Amino acid sequence: MSSPEQAKGFATRAIHAGHGERDPYGALTSPIYMTSTFEFDTAEQGAARFAGEEEGYIYSRLGNPTLTELEYKLADLEGAEACLAVASGMGAITSVFWTFVAPGDEILVDKTLYGCTFAYFHHGLEKFGITVRYVDMCQVKNLAREISDKTKIVYFETPANPNMRIVDIKAICEIAHSSGARVVVDNTYCTPYLQNPIALGADIVVHSATKYLGGHGDLMAGVILSNAEDMEQIRYVGLKDMTGAVLSPMNAFLVTRGLKTLELRMERHCDNAEKIAQMLMDSRKVGQIFFPGLPSFEQHELAKSQMNRFGGMVAFELHGGHEAGLKFLNSLTLCKIAVSLGDAETLVEHPASMTHSTYTPEERELHGIGEGLVRISVGLENAADILLDIEQALAQV
Ligand code: 3LM
């Protein structure tokens, strides 16, 4: 799916890439192909499509024109050869792993991961005879020490959910590739507007498109991006036969619509998050602040080198621990108490009891997820209003 749109600016590509032939009625917005199956002209044509001898749609689990438009657009934005849109972020992650791992294989994953991704590895893959090893990939030398020729996949998020640890994409890819492992990066927190893992050497990128890509909190979706060969396997093995995590054409349309404003939205998310992180610095209720844009953040320089800006996610540790975390959430009046991220509304959650309750308390401690940690998905409201709400909630703690 390499595209002639590549040379144009991000917003231009986000709006125009993937929009194919002019519609017969001149409709500016592509129609939504709400169909499960496609009619063949002849029995021979059907057979030729199944045999891969003729291009064309067969059945919506294998492909659908509304999804194709979204896939083409996202491949362009991430600089990937091909893309596959699926039903959720978890559908994306599981479709990749079921395609490429088998019993006896080993995978190396970062020690901090989104809670359900951790649960999939820990309670899912391990049950099928796949060895999962948790490595602190913020220290590149740890991967060099742990990797072996049994390692099939190296997997991480950067920034990691929920504590914003940054992994050096380029350095990790060099080590993984020297051992013949594929590198899979979850780019949900950044979107292709802020970070391009493929340009830094990653083999496969996954996203929860439920978040910033859709951007309005009204859908579930996931995407996978890679080279054409791997994507063919993920589509026809992982999605078609293993997970069946098919995206509805309606939701594909909504993600395509969301992408048109991705650049504008990300700029605003970043502006607002910078202001909130700065304000938190002045609160005596707050301990460590996890935001890569702060010069005091341990990995600020690394973040600067691989991200265009620092994103819309801010986390912080309250001195009062678990109780203080819940009290803070219950004191909010504008911001919503909710998991998920990347919506127009500011969403605030308590990872230890919500998104990361899939870890045991011991695992959370080991993986750097504190009991007093609060996570904010900074929304698109006016910054002054968000600041005021957070300040008054902090005062109640
Ligand atoms: C959350 N996260 O609030 P879906 N990768 C990352 C994610 O953050 C997520 C997924 C994958 C949250 C969801 S918690 C019950 C709500 C980095 C989701 C999975 O399958 O589209 O939800 O994506 O952190």
Side-chain angles (χ1 to χ4, degrees):
M1 276 196 197
S2 77
S3 159
E5 302 284 352
Q6 200 77 47
K8 299 199 172 78
F10 188 91
T12 308
R13 290 185 283 131
I15 293 165
H16 292 282
H19 194 71
E21 300 291 304
R22 195 182 151 98
D23 178 80
Y25 302 105
L28 182 64
T29 302
S30 306
I32 306 170
Y33 288 91
M34 289 301 281
T35 185
S36 47
T37 198
F38 296 83
E39 190 182 351
F40 306 128
D41 291 337
T42 62
E44 288 76 10
Q45 184 186 56
R49 289 195 186 171
F50 269 88
E53 292 157 2
E54 182 189 297
E55 293 246 332
Y57 294 99
I58 296 174
Y59 184 65
S60 283
R61 179 154 36 80
L62 316 180
N64 173 292
T66 309
L67 273 69
T68 304
E69 177 169 350
L70 169 63
E71 289 165 351
Y72 192 98
K73 196 185 283 295
L74 272 165
D76 190 292
L77 296 177
E78 278 281 10
E81 280 178 12
C83 171
L84 174 65
V86 294
S88 67
M90 289 311 298
I93 295 163
T94 55
S95 297
V96 169
F97 280 89
W98 292 131
T99 304
F100 293 117
V101 295
D105 287 345
E106 173 188 276
I107 62 168
L108 299 184
V109 307
D110 189 31
K111 78 173 199 174
T112 310
L113 297 167
Y114 163 57
C116 295
T117 308
F118 173 77
Y120 168 60
F121 293 145
H122 203 47
H123 308 135
L125 283 184
E126 284 181 358
K127 204 167 66 178
F128 291 91
I130 291 148
T131 304
V132 184
R133 301 203 359 244
Y134 300 86
V135 179
D136 179 353
M137 292 194 201
C138 293
Q139 303 295 324
V140 177
K141 61 178 189 316
N142 290 341
L143 181 70
R145 199 179 53 231
E146 298 291 331
I147 202 160
S148 75
D149 54 11
K150 280 206 283 188
T151 309
K152 288 291 181 299
I153 292 183
V154 171
Y155 183 92
F156 59 90
E157 303 165 0
T158 180
N161 184 353
N163 54 14
M164 311 299 289
R165 293 159 74 256
I166 309 287
V167 177
D168 184 335
I169 301 175
K170 204 164 165 202
I172 294 285
C173 288
E174 278 164 17
I175 295 169
H177 290 160
S178 67
S179 273
R182 281 183 177 82
V183 176
V184 182
V185 181
D186 184 328
N187 203 26
T188 300
Y189 263 39
C190 280
T191 82
Y193 182 62
L194 297 180
Q195 179 171 272
N196 296 107
I198 289 176
L200 296 169
D203 301 284
I204 299 175
V205 166
V206 292
H207 285 273
S208 168
T210 313
K211 314 291 168 14
Y212 292 106
L213 301 182
H216 296 76
D218 52 9
L219 61 92
M220 300 288 302
V223 293
I224 311 161
L225 300 117
S226 184
N227 61 60
E229 205 177 310
D230 277 1
M231 288 313 309
E232 173 108 352
Q233 281 203 64
I234 297 166
R235 183 185 291 274
Y236 294 112
V237 178
L239 172 67
K240 178 170 99 45
D241 300 336
M242 306 287 277
T243 66
V246 184
L247 181 64
S248 153
M250 182 66 203
N251 285 355
F253 164 80
L254 288 173
V255 180
T256 299
R257 185 170 74 160
L259 286 175
K260 293 182 185 184
T261 55
L262 181 64
E263 176 171 324
L264 284 172
R265 291 186 286 105
M266 291 313 291
E267 286 290 337
R268 176 70 166 241
H269 284 299
C270 292
D271 287 345
N272 283 356
E274 283 171 16
K275 289 178 188 146
I276 286 162
Q278 200 56 50
M279 177 269 271
L280 290 170
M281 296 271 291
D282 298 331
S283 171
R284 58 188 177 78
K285 310 271 175 78
V286 172
Q288 215 176 335
I289 301 165
F290 304 91
F291 181 67
L294 290 175
S296 57
F297 184 75
E298 210 185 329
Q299 296 172 294
H300 177 63
E301 289 306 319
L302 173 59
K304 247 168 56 178
S305 73
Q306 65 184 20
M307 297 167 72
N308 298 325
R309 289 190 70 183
F310 303 107
M313 300 298 294
V314 179
F316 60 95
E317 189 75 32
L318 281 167
H319 289 310
H322 197 106
E323 283 303 307
L326 302 192
K327 176 77 184 153
F328 174 77
L329 263 60
N330 286 328
S331 305
L332 292 164
T333 57
L334 174 75
C335 304
K336 303 295 180 196
I337 307 172
V339 296
S340 201
L341 53 119
D343 295 356
E345 295 82 358
T346 295
L347 309 179
V348 184
E349 67 113 7
H350 178 244
S353 61
M354 297 176 187
T355 50
H356 292 71
S357 56
T358 49
Y359 291 68
T360 62
E362 296 72 33
E363 284 166 345
R364 275 198 297 279
E365 167 131 27
L366 212 62
H367 294 246
I369 301 159
E371 295 299 308
L373 190 70
V374 169
R375 190 190 75 179
I376 308 181
S377 167
V378 180
L380 302 176
E381 301 95 337
N382 297 101
D385 296 323
I386 310 172
L387 287 169
L388 214 59
D389 195 27
I390 293 174
E391 270 167 349
Q392 68 77 26
L394 279 173
Q396 319 273 325
V397 171

